[in-house]
């Protein structure tokens, strides 16, 4: 059994999750503070990949990153590297599809934050950077961690957009999802079932982690109310 699809899926999911983690937190923090009209427009734009079919997301990525498109052509001319049909093309697809999960979860965590804590820190002369990292983030950590885990799980299981921008090449771009499809298409049901079990095991672990984080968050809120 060739384990490259597992390694490649894990690599793509981890890299895209790091991108989505910091990008989602940054977007959620600043957009939550904008005027409601502008906030609504940006919210729709950033959440759109969550409701669009993954193949539509993949189509838009091809229109942006394709070798005959301005960005793809410029990247090839400068770096002599393609942005599609490579393993890192899957990172672009996974990041775009998983971003809304991280963004929405982080925004909800920031909106539930008690701003009086930040105001108290300002009265003590603390910088906004210190307040963000040492006060706001610890207070919102459970929601943010849950968003990060969900984004990782979504990136790990991504198929539609990845299949369009990265394709399926054994040993180069194959992921668990694309491998399952190819094995099923070639009537190799036994091996496809093994990969399905691997994917289900990973998903089960992710769901357990999310449930534990939610329980800790609820327990923390109950403890705070008692105090």
């Amino acid at each position: 059994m060739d384990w490259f699809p597992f390694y490649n899926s894990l690599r793509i999911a981890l890299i895209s999750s790091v991108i989505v983690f910091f990008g989602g937190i940054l977007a959620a923090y600043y957009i939550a503070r904008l005027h409601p009209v502008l906030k609504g427009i940006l919210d729709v734009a950033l959440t759109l990949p969550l409701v669009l079919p993954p193949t539509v997301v993949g189509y838009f990525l091809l229109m942006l990153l394709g070798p005959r498109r301005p960005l793809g052509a410029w990247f090839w001319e400068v770096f002599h590297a393609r942005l599609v049909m490579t393993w890192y093309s899957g990172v672009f697809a996974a990041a775009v599809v998983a971003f809304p999960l991280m963004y929405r979860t982080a925004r909800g965590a920031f909106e539930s934050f008690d701003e009086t804590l930040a105001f108290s820190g300002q009265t003590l002369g603390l910088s906004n950077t210190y307040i963000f990292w040492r006060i706001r983030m610890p207070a919102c950590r459970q929601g943010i961690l849950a968003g990060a885990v969900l984004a990782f799980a979504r990136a790990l299981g991504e198929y539609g957009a990845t299949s369009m921008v990265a394709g399926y090449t054994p040993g180069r771009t194959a992921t668990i999802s694309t491998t399952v499809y190819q094995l099923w298409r070639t009537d190799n049901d036994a091996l496809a079932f093994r990969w399905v079990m691997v994917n289900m095991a990973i998903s089960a672990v992710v769901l357990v982690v999310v449930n534990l984080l939610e329980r800790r968050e609820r327990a923390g809120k109950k403890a705070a109310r008692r105090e």
Side-chain angles (χ1 to χ4, degrees):
M1 186 171 176
D2 180 16
W3 286 97
F4 177 82
F6 173 78
Y7 159 72
N8 193 41
S9 295
L10 195 61
R11 172 173 59 176
I12 290 172
L14 287 173
I15 296 174
S16 61
S17 295
V18 171
I19 297 171
V20 164
F21 179 79
F22 291 102
I25 288 175
L26 185 66
Y29 176 70
Y30 285 105
I31 290 176
R33 306 161 72 89
L34 295 176
H35 187 275
V37 175
L38 183 57
K39 175 182 174 181
I41 295 173
L42 291 175
D43 188 63
V44 169
L46 294 178
T47 310
L48 201 56
L50 187 64
V51 296
L52 284 175
T55 50
V56 174
V57 176
Y59 174 81
F60 281 122
L61 286 174
L62 284 176
M63 292 300 100
L64 179 66
L65 306 176
R68 296 184 179 181
R69 301 298 170 178
L71 182 58
W74 174 84
F75 202 85
W76 173 261
E77 183 179 348
V78 175
F79 300 102
H80 297 286
R82 295 180 301 173
L83 294 179
V84 295
M85 300 306 156
T86 62
W87 74 266
Y88 50 82
S89 303
V91 174
F92 306 143
V96 171
V97 173
F99 179 85
L101 287 171
M102 184 67 215
Y103 162 71
R104 297 284 296 190
T105 307
R107 203 195 73 180
F110 287 145
E111 288 178 345
S112 63
F113 175 73
D114 186 1
E115 290 294 335
T116 57
L117 297 175
F119 297 149
S120 300
Q122 291 174 352
T123 59
L124 295 174
L126 301 178
S127 65
N128 290 331
T129 302
Y130 183 93
I131 292 173
F132 179 82
W133 289 110
R134 301 300 297 272
I135 298 176
R136 192 182 301 272
M137 285 292 287
C140 303
R141 66 182 181 275
Q142 299 298 336
I144 291 174
L145 287 175
V149 173
L150 288 173
F152 173 80
R154 183 66 185 86
L156 189 66
E158 192 348 77
Y159 170 75
T162 300
S163 64
M164 293 190 69
V165 300
Y168 172 79
T169 304
R172 294 183 59 188
T173 66
T175 63
I176 294 177
S177 299
T178 57
T179 298
V180 169
Y181 174 76
Q182 290 298 325
L183 291 172
W184 169 82
R185 193 173 65 85
T186 56
D187 294 326
N188 193 344
D189 290 339
L191 191 54
F193 182 76
R194 292 182 187 178
W195 280 115
V196 168
M197 292 295 100
V198 170
N199 208 349
M200 289 184 65
I202 297 172
S203 300
V205 171
V206 170
L207 290 175
V208 169
V209 172
V210 171
N211 288 334
L212 289 175
L213 290 173
E214 289 179 348
R215 287 182 182 178
R216 289 185 61 183
E217 186 177 8
R218 289 195 295 266
K221 288 181 179 180
K222 289 181 180 179
R225 290 173 184 172
R226 291 173 183 173
E227 293 177 358

